[in-house]
Amino acid sequence: MIGAYIGKVVIRAYRGEWVEHETSPGVPAVSALRVTAFPFGLAARVLGGEPYKSLASFVRALPAVAERAKRD
């Protein structure tokens, strides 16, 4: 449920959409700002106690990731 919630937050905040990505068939991903993100994978990492992972920072960092991808 956490992955679904964070995906919906990204969709609403950045006018994204749910997509399926070729690297993970059958796993929902979110596309926003020309970036594909995997909120369910992030949720698993946060719940697993991986250091320096945060649901809030995931959403806040998306514009910076998109800008960097545009420059590269």
Side-chain angles (χ1 to χ4, degrees):
M1 290 180 69
I2 294 171
Y5 174 77
I6 203 68
K8 193 65 171 177
V9 168
V10 169
I11 288 169
R12 287 192 179 186
Y14 302 115
R15 297 186 180 140
E17 63 183 342
W18 288 107
V19 297
E20 187 172 318
H21 195 268
E22 64 271 2
T23 61
S24 299
V27 177
V30 175
S31 177
L33 304 174
R34 299 185 190 144
V35 174
T36 301
F38 298 90
F40 291 96
L42 174 68
R45 294 167 116 182
V46 170
L47 292 172
E50 187 173 321
Y52 310 109
K53 294 294 176 195
S54 161
L55 299 174
S57 65
F58 172 76
V59 175
R60 284 193 309 263
L62 201 58
V65 171
E67 183 60 35
R68 183 171 180 152
K70 191 169 38 172
R71 285 183 285 167
D72 292 345

